[in-house]
Amino acid sequence: MSKVLERNNVHIQGAGAKAMMFAHGFGCDQNMWRFVAPAFEADFRTVLFDHVGAGGSDLSAYDRAKYSSLEGYATDVVEIARELEFSDAVFVGHSVSSMIGVIAAEKAPGMFGKLVLIGPSPRYIDDAGYTGGFSAKQIEELLEFLESNHMGWSAQMAPMIMGNPDRPELGEELTNSFCRTDPDIAKAFARVTFTSDNREDLARVAVPTLVLQCSEDIIASQDVGDFVNRTIPNSRMIVLKATGHCPNLSAPEEVVSAMRTFV
Amino acid sequence: MVSLDFTDMVENAPCGYVSLSPAGRMEYVNRTLTGWSGHTADQMIGKRFSDFLTMAGRIYYETHIAPLLRMQGSFDEFAIDVIKADGQRLQMIANATERRDTDGKPLSIRLALIRATDRRRYEQELLRAREAARTGERSAEVNLQREHETSELREQFIAVLGHDLRNPLASISAGVRILDRTVQTEKERQVIAMMQTTVMRMAGLIDDVLDLARGRLGGGIRLNLDFGKPLEPVLMGVVDELRLASPGRIIEAEFKIERPVNCDGQRLGQMLSNLVGNALTHGSSSKPVIVHAETREREFELWVSNAGQPIPQAAMDKLFEPFFRGNAHASRQGLGLGLYIASQIAKAHGGELTVSSTSEETKFTFTMPLSPEARTSGK
């Protein structure tokens, strides 16, 4: 396996000619797509991966400077897509990965032909004439709060977890077997996620885009979804009945059928 | 058989207990949690659980707890803050489970919440301490490295200086000896004698600086062990020299060296010279300085005592540090290395040099094991 694919713990399934790439958001890893991705395996080559620092990615590749902006994550997406020779592929991004996909699509024209953005937000912190839903102070509190929740992470466990992403039974005695992250990296990812501002990138999206908006999503509100849908030139929005921020887990069937109308 | 009141067990459980719809709305809250939070059940039922959390808690619930419950069916030991009716925070640790039907569809989410104010404060203190330790470690490493470089340079400097000072001094000494052969007048004789004394004093100071450099360059003072060679004549020689150099002062010597001492005689002589020199400088000039050396079954003891003002307590701690100088007349001061070197010699012999000082007497005592075997088994 190539270095890039190994670095991002890339898993490829499916038989289709076109690729469909799934990018997870803040808080978890590619496990987020377990109820959605299989539905597309008949028609697409599905590509799942972990952002560096999350899940089964290569932690030694974590570079504080590179990943201090979404640009760094988008570079990885382009590298994976180039490695797998994507052309006119579908990018499915959840949460912060929506914006990572927007940046990646702009970086490499022709690589992605369609974007599916689930619960996107170009900016979480309120600004003049814009309601992101959070104050800067609340985001600072979040970063502090994350320190109280280490997700069962400890330095001793790290090699065991990271060395055996395909053998979850090794982690069975651990409290939480999914979505463990080094707390320092989790905090850095939270910082880049919640302090980014990608509003200006939206207008430059050149490919057809589907926005999936949840009902009652406190992370990415209806107003924010409307802003994204309005600003991206060729975009349409489907408001899901699903509540919360992770419809790919709470209402996978609804997500899948909404996506089918688009891809 | 004991009858169990399950309603009461849940309502008044020693933990907060909550049941949520799969979408996260409150369907039940027990009396314990309403009591802790100050919200009534009516105020809570039907609302989203995350409505009662801090904003950080809400984000955490949506990005971690809810997805993990879907994926693994339970999520244990997470920290969560509930906002109380009075606006204060209720810091808690919680476990959550997702109840599912036979198809794996979620039926409800249950949470057990335990108050954890003290525990969270303790965790935060640990986190802060870890952060401080990391910062401290980094600066300590830098300091240590810098300190190491500086001290190495300083000690090399001392060593080089010691050698380079010896050569010109040897020339002066040789010149003085030549002049001494052709001395004409009494005045000239006095000047020559003074120059010889000064050269000797200078040589002594340079030796001290070299010993300091050796002691500090890691290896400590190296010994030439002359096991079996009588020690008493060496020590007696030192006492005689000092008697000659200090006319008018009484130095009493008592030697009971009846067993061989495995030591470097020249170094012990140097130590004795330093100790007696010290006693002559700081002790009462009208009372004798007493030198005592004896072998016991396993150890050798050498002590030097003098009468006079006791050593101040503040000075006691620094006595054996290099460049420490007491309140002697400036003209009689050396470099302040005598006791430091004496203690290094003691250390090199596997022994120790201690001091006691009262208004009756001040006494420096050196003890060392007689043989290396005793060194390991003796203490």
Side-chain angles (χ1 to χ4, degrees), chain A residues 23-29 32-33 51 54 93-97 189 193 248:
Chain A
H24 69 85
F26 164 71
C28 201
D29 53 36
M32 286 291 243
W33 301 109
H51 287 301
H94 175 234
S95 195
V96 66
S97 276
F189 192 29
T193 295
N248 36 354

Side-chain angles (χ1 to χ4, degrees), chain B residues 223-248:
Chain B
L223 300 180
N224 271 326
L225 293 179
D226 40 23
F227 193 73
K229 211 170 164 189
L231 180 61
E232 191 169 326
V234 180
L235 300 182
M236 205 60 225
V238 171
V239 172
D240 286 342
E241 264 173 39
L242 288 161
R243 278 175 178 154
L244 272 176
S246 311

